[in-house]
């Protein structure tokens, strides 16, 4: 994986713990590399959202779901 993505996850881990059985939402996930990194760190329910037609195509996994939509119109309930 690219150094940028690994440094992004490492920076995130400095401020937050990735806990099992928690939801992780990755806004602007592109083909899913960040979603895959969160999965490898122990997150068990990950959703990636992006406007590109092939959202998540690079990292399919049963515990990752991908949504093709904008951040302004996310199809999720508040606080979910």
């Amino acid at each position: 994986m690219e150094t940028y993505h690994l440094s992004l996850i490492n920076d995130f881990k400095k401020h937050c713990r990735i806990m099992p059985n928690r939801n992780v939402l990755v806004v602007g996930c592109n083909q899913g590399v960040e979603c895959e990194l969160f999965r490898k760190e122990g997150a068990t329910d990950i959703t990636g959202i992006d406007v590109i037609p092939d959202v998540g195509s690079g990292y399919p996994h049963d515990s990752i779901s991908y949504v093709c939509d904008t951040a302004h119109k996310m199809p999720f309930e508040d606080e979910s």
Side-chain angles (χ1 to χ4, degrees):
M1 308 227 176
E2 294 181 28
T3 305
Y4 165 77
H5 298 292
L6 293 174
S7 67
L8 179 71
I9 294 297
N10 286 331
D11 285 343
F12 179 84
K13 290 188 323 186
K14 289 178 188 175
H15 304 284
C16 301
R17 285 188 313 151
I18 300 170
M19 298 168 49
N21 302 316
R22 295 294 179 121
N23 298 336
V24 175
L25 174 63
V26 180
V27 177
C29 71
N30 203 308
Q31 292 185 342
V33 67
E34 291 93 351
C35 296
E36 175 66 9
L37 290 170
F38 279 114
R39 186 189 68 77
K40 286 183 176 183
E41 288 294 325
T44 55
D45 187 6
I46 304 138
T47 302
I49 186 169
D50 207 310
V51 295
I52 63 171
D54 61 342
V55 59
S57 63
Y59 298 89
H61 193 274
D62 290 343
S63 64
I64 306 172
S65 57
Y66 294 103
V67 176
C68 183
D69 212 334
T70 69
H72 296 286
K73 299 188 313 182
M74 285 191 275
F76 312 113
E77 294 293 322
D78 290 346
E79 306 291 327
S80 65

